[in-house]
mmCIF file of all heavy atoms in Angstrom:
data_model
loop_
_atom_site.group_PDB
_atom_site.id
_atom_site.type_symbol
_atom_site.label_atom_id
_atom_site.label_comp_id
_atom_site.label_asym_id
_atom_site.label_seq_id
_atom_site.Cartn_x
_atom_site.Cartn_y
_atom_site.Cartn_z
ATOM 1 N N ALA H 520 101.200 112.521 66.844
ATOM 2 C CA ALA H 520 100.682 112.852 68.088
ATOM 3 C C ALA H 520 101.338 114.086 68.678
ATOM 4 O O ALA H 520 102.447 114.453 68.218
ATOM 5 C CB ALA H 520 100.819 111.710 69.008
ATOM 6 N N ASN H 521 100.674 114.634 69.600
ATOM 7 C CA ASN H 521 101.344 115.746 70.384
ATOM 8 C C ASN H 521 101.829 115.240 71.639
ATOM 9 O O ASN H 521 101.249 114.278 72.274
ATOM 10 C CB ASN H 521 100.342 116.920 70.694
ATOM 11 C CG ASN H 521 99.816 117.525 69.398
ATOM 12 O OD1 ASN H 521 100.574 117.665 68.391
ATOM 13 N ND2 ASN H 521 98.519 117.865 69.340
ATOM 14 N N GLY H 522 102.919 115.751 72.264
ATOM 15 C CA GLY H 522 103.437 115.304 73.393
ATOM 16 C C GLY H 522 103.978 116.532 74.361
ATOM 17 O O GLY H 522 104.055 117.621 73.853
ATOM 18 N N THR H 523 104.400 116.163 75.466
ATOM 19 C CA THR H 523 104.954 117.188 76.439
ATOM 20 C C THR H 523 106.257 116.587 77.023
ATOM 21 O O THR H 523 106.400 115.514 77.503
ATOM 22 C CB THR H 523 103.937 117.387 77.623
ATOM 23 O OG1 THR H 523 102.730 117.783 77.098
ATOM 24 C CG2 THR H 523 104.556 118.397 78.612
ATOM 25 N N VAL H 524 107.289 117.367 76.944
ATOM 26 C CA VAL H 524 108.606 117.094 77.467
ATOM 27 C C VAL H 524 108.522 117.090 79.061
ATOM 28 O O VAL H 524 107.957 118.078 79.673
ATOM 29 C CB VAL H 524 109.666 117.956 77.023
ATOM 30 C CG1 VAL H 524 111.052 117.650 77.607
ATOM 31 C CG2 VAL H 524 109.726 118.093 75.531
ATOM 32 N N GLN H 525 108.996 116.057 79.698
ATOM 33 C CA GLN H 525 108.940 115.994 81.158
ATOM 34 C C GLN H 525 110.179 115.227 81.629
ATOM 35 O O GLN H 525 110.946 114.484 80.908
ATOM 36 C CB GLN H 525 107.669 115.276 81.568
ATOM 37 C CG GLN H 525 107.564 113.811 81.157
ATOM 38 C CD GLN H 525 106.249 113.185 81.570
ATOM 39 O OE1 GLN H 525 105.302 113.785 81.780
ATOM 40 N NE2 GLN H 525 106.209 111.890 81.590
ATOM 41 N N VAL H 751 109.544 112.251 76.612
ATOM 42 C CA VAL H 751 108.309 112.914 76.089
ATOM 43 C C VAL H 751 107.185 111.945 76.306
ATOM 44 O O VAL H 751 107.216 110.725 76.069
ATOM 45 C CB VAL H 751 108.456 113.245 74.555
ATOM 46 C CG1 VAL H 751 107.191 113.961 74.075
ATOM 47 C CG2 VAL H 751 109.630 114.195 74.375
ATOM 48 N N GLU H 752 106.022 112.490 76.812
ATOM 49 C CA GLU H 752 104.820 111.714 77.030
ATOM 50 C C GLU H 752 103.730 112.060 75.941
ATOM 51 O O GLU H 752 103.568 113.324 75.888
ATOM 52 C CB GLU H 752 104.322 111.872 78.481
ATOM 53 C CG GLU H 752 103.094 111.005 78.800
ATOM 54 C CD GLU H 752 102.683 110.962 80.204
ATOM 55 O OE1 GLU H 752 103.498 110.769 81.095
ATOM 56 O OE2 GLU H 752 101.424 111.223 80.393
ATOM 57 N N ILE H 771 110.762 114.019 66.594
ATOM 58 C CA ILE H 771 110.122 115.047 67.571
ATOM 59 C C ILE H 771 110.465 116.359 67.029
ATOM 60 O O ILE H 771 111.696 116.613 66.738
ATOM 61 C CB ILE H 771 110.661 114.808 69.004
ATOM 62 C CG1 ILE H 771 110.304 113.393 69.440
ATOM 63 C CG2 ILE H 771 110.079 115.822 69.865
ATOM 64 C CD1 ILE H 771 111.117 112.969 70.629
ATOM 65 N N ARG H 772 109.531 117.290 66.994
ATOM 66 C CA ARG H 772 109.748 118.676 66.537
ATOM 67 C C ARG H 772 109.065 119.611 67.561
ATOM 68 O O ARG H 772 108.091 119.299 68.223
ATOM 69 C CB ARG H 772 109.182 118.890 65.158
ATOM 70 C CG ARG H 772 109.782 118.246 63.980
ATOM 71 C CD ARG H 772 109.212 118.573 62.651
ATOM 72 N NE ARG H 772 109.897 117.871 61.662
ATOM 73 C CZ ARG H 772 109.755 116.674 61.158
ATOM 74 N NH1 ARG H 772 108.849 115.978 61.789
ATOM 75 N NH2 ARG H 772 110.455 116.170 60.171
ATOM 76 N N SER H 773 109.775 120.733 67.774
ATOM 77 C CA SER H 773 109.257 121.801 68.712
ATOM 78 C C SER H 773 109.270 123.058 67.929
ATOM 79 O O SER H 773 110.102 123.416 67.128
ATOM 80 C CB SER H 773 110.232 121.908 69.861
ATOM 81 O OG SER H 773 109.991 123.013 70.657
ATOM 82 N N ASP H 774 108.255 123.874 68.296
ATOM 83 C CA ASP H 774 108.129 125.217 67.701
ATOM 84 C C ASP H 774 109.263 126.054 68.120
ATOM 85 O O ASP H 774 109.677 127.038 67.396
ATOM 86 C CB ASP H 774 106.896 125.926 68.177
ATOM 87 C CG ASP H 774 105.657 125.225 67.532
ATOM 88 O OD1 ASP H 774 105.747 124.534 66.572
ATOM 89 O OD2 ASP H 774 104.502 125.417 68.184
ATOM 90 N N ALA H 775 110.014 125.768 69.262
ATOM 91 C CA ALA H 775 111.088 126.563 69.642
ATOM 92 C C ALA H 775 112.304 126.419 68.820
ATOM 93 O O ALA H 775 113.161 127.171 68.652
ATOM 94 C CB ALA H 775 111.529 126.235 71.125
ATOM 95 N N TYR H 776 112.365 125.171 68.043
ATOM 96 C CA TYR H 776 113.412 124.894 67.183
ATOM 97 C C TYR H 776 112.837 124.328 65.840
ATOM 98 O O TYR H 776 112.843 123.171 65.602
ATOM 99 C CB TYR H 776 114.404 123.886 67.848
ATOM 100 C CG TYR H 776 114.861 124.227 69.108
ATOM 101 C CD1 TYR H 776 114.301 123.771 70.241
ATOM 102 C CD2 TYR H 776 115.951 125.157 69.274
ATOM 103 C CE1 TYR H 776 114.801 124.088 71.543
ATOM 104 C CE2 TYR H 776 116.509 125.528 70.440
ATOM 105 C CZ TYR H 776 115.912 124.964 71.591
ATOM 106 O OH TYR H 776 116.325 125.285 72.842
ATOM 107 N N PHE H 781 114.415 116.252 66.364
ATOM 108 C CA PHE H 781 115.045 115.451 67.396
ATOM 109 C C PHE H 781 114.609 113.996 67.276
ATOM 110 O O PHE H 781 113.529 113.666 66.809
ATOM 111 C CB PHE H 781 114.623 116.021 68.810
ATOM 112 C CG PHE H 781 115.067 117.473 68.948
ATOM 113 C CD1 PHE H 781 113.992 118.362 68.913
ATOM 114 C CD2 PHE H 781 116.298 117.843 69.093
ATOM 115 C CE1 PHE H 781 114.259 119.811 69.026
ATOM 116 C CE2 PHE H 781 116.572 119.178 69.281
ATOM 117 C CZ PHE H 781 115.567 120.167 69.246
ATOM 118 N N LEU H 823 115.903 120.870 74.563
ATOM 119 C CA LEU H 823 114.524 120.827 75.039
ATOM 120 C C LEU H 823 114.420 121.049 76.528
ATOM 121 O O LEU H 823 115.343 120.683 77.263
ATOM 122 C CB LEU H 823 113.884 119.460 74.678
ATOM 123 C CG LEU H 823 113.824 119.176 73.129
ATOM 124 C CD1 LEU H 823 113.253 117.788 72.851
ATOM 125 C CD2 LEU H 823 112.919 120.267 72.459
ATOM 126 N N LYS H 824 113.301 121.693 76.940
ATOM 127 C CA LYS H 824 113.158 121.928 78.452
ATOM 128 C C LYS H 824 111.935 121.221 78.890
ATOM 129 O O LYS H 824 110.921 121.043 78.115
ATOM 130 C CB LYS H 824 112.988 123.421 78.615
ATOM 131 C CG LYS H 824 114.119 124.220 78.031
ATOM 132 C CD LYS H 824 115.456 123.961 78.684
ATOM 133 C CE LYS H 824 116.653 124.824 78.105
ATOM 134 N NZ LYS H 824 117.889 124.476 78.748
ATOM 135 N N SER H 825 111.879 120.853 80.102
ATOM 136 C CA SER H 825 110.710 120.291 80.755
ATOM 137 C C SER H 825 109.527 121.223 80.589
ATOM 138 O O SER H 825 109.620 122.411 80.883
ATOM 139 C CB SER H 825 111.027 119.975 82.221
ATOM 140 O OG SER H 825 109.896 119.428 82.881
ATOM 141 N N GLY H 826 108.369 120.603 80.190
ATOM 142 C CA GLY H 826 107.126 121.401 80.046
ATOM 143 C C GLY H 826 106.907 121.799 78.614
ATOM 144 O O GLY H 826 105.822 122.335 78.299
ATOM 145 N N MET H 827 107.865 121.664 77.734
ATOM 146 C CA MET H 827 107.642 122.140 76.342
ATOM 147 C C MET H 827 106.667 121.179 75.654
ATOM 148 O O MET H 827 106.574 119.957 75.854
ATOM 149 C CB MET H 827 109.037 121.975 75.504
ATOM 150 C CG MET H 827 109.894 123.251 75.694
ATOM 151 S SD MET H 827 111.260 123.090 74.665
ATOM 152 C CE MET H 827 112.066 124.752 74.895
ATOM 153 N N ASN H 828 105.832 121.801 74.751
ATOM 154 C CA ASN H 828 104.915 120.900 73.893
ATOM 155 C C ASN H 828 105.649 120.694 72.563
ATOM 156 O O ASN H 828 106.240 121.591 71.969
ATOM 157 C CB ASN H 828 103.675 121.798 73.635
ATOM 158 C CG ASN H 828 102.851 122.032 74.862
ATOM 159 O OD1 ASN H 828 102.653 121.068 75.704
ATOM 160 N ND2 ASN H 828 102.405 123.163 75.100
ATOM 161 N N VAL H 829 105.463 119.403 72.058
ATOM 162 C CA VAL H 829 106.222 119.107 70.935
ATOM 163 C C VAL H 829 105.258 118.273 69.912
ATOM 164 O O VAL H 829 104.215 117.695 70.405
ATOM 165 C CB VAL H 829 107.462 118.140 71.208
ATOM 166 C CG1 VAL H 829 108.460 118.899 71.930
ATOM 167 C CG2 VAL H 829 106.993 116.891 72.027
ATOM 168 N N ASN H 830 105.567 118.113 68.670
ATOM 169 C CA ASN H 830 104.913 117.337 67.748
ATOM 170 C C ASN H 830 105.731 116.088 67.413
ATOM 171 O O ASN H 830 106.975 116.136 67.356
ATOM 172 C CB ASN H 830 104.662 118.048 66.465
ATOM 173 C CG ASN H 830 103.874 119.277 66.644
ATOM 174 O OD1 ASN H 830 102.796 119.248 67.396
ATOM 175 N ND2 ASN H 830 104.200 120.382 65.981
ATOM 176 N N MET H 831 105.029 114.925 67.462
ATOM 177 C CA MET H 831 105.739 113.576 67.282
ATOM 178 C C MET H 831 105.216 112.861 66.101
ATOM 179 O O MET H 831 104.031 112.828 65.790
ATOM 180 C CB MET H 831 105.542 112.859 68.516
ATOM 181 C CG MET H 831 105.789 113.650 69.885
ATOM 182 S SD MET H 831 105.374 112.804 71.282
ATOM 183 C CE MET H 831 106.520 111.433 71.432
#
Side-chain angles (χ1 to χ4, degrees):
N521 297 324
T523 303
V524 180
Q525 62 184 22
V751 182
E752 180 175 309
I771 302 164
R772 292 183 176 84
S773 169
D774 291 341
Y776 306 99
F781 304 104
L823 296 176
K824 307 296 182 184
S825 180
M827 278 187 172
N828 296 316
V829 295
N830 299 318
M831 310 169 69

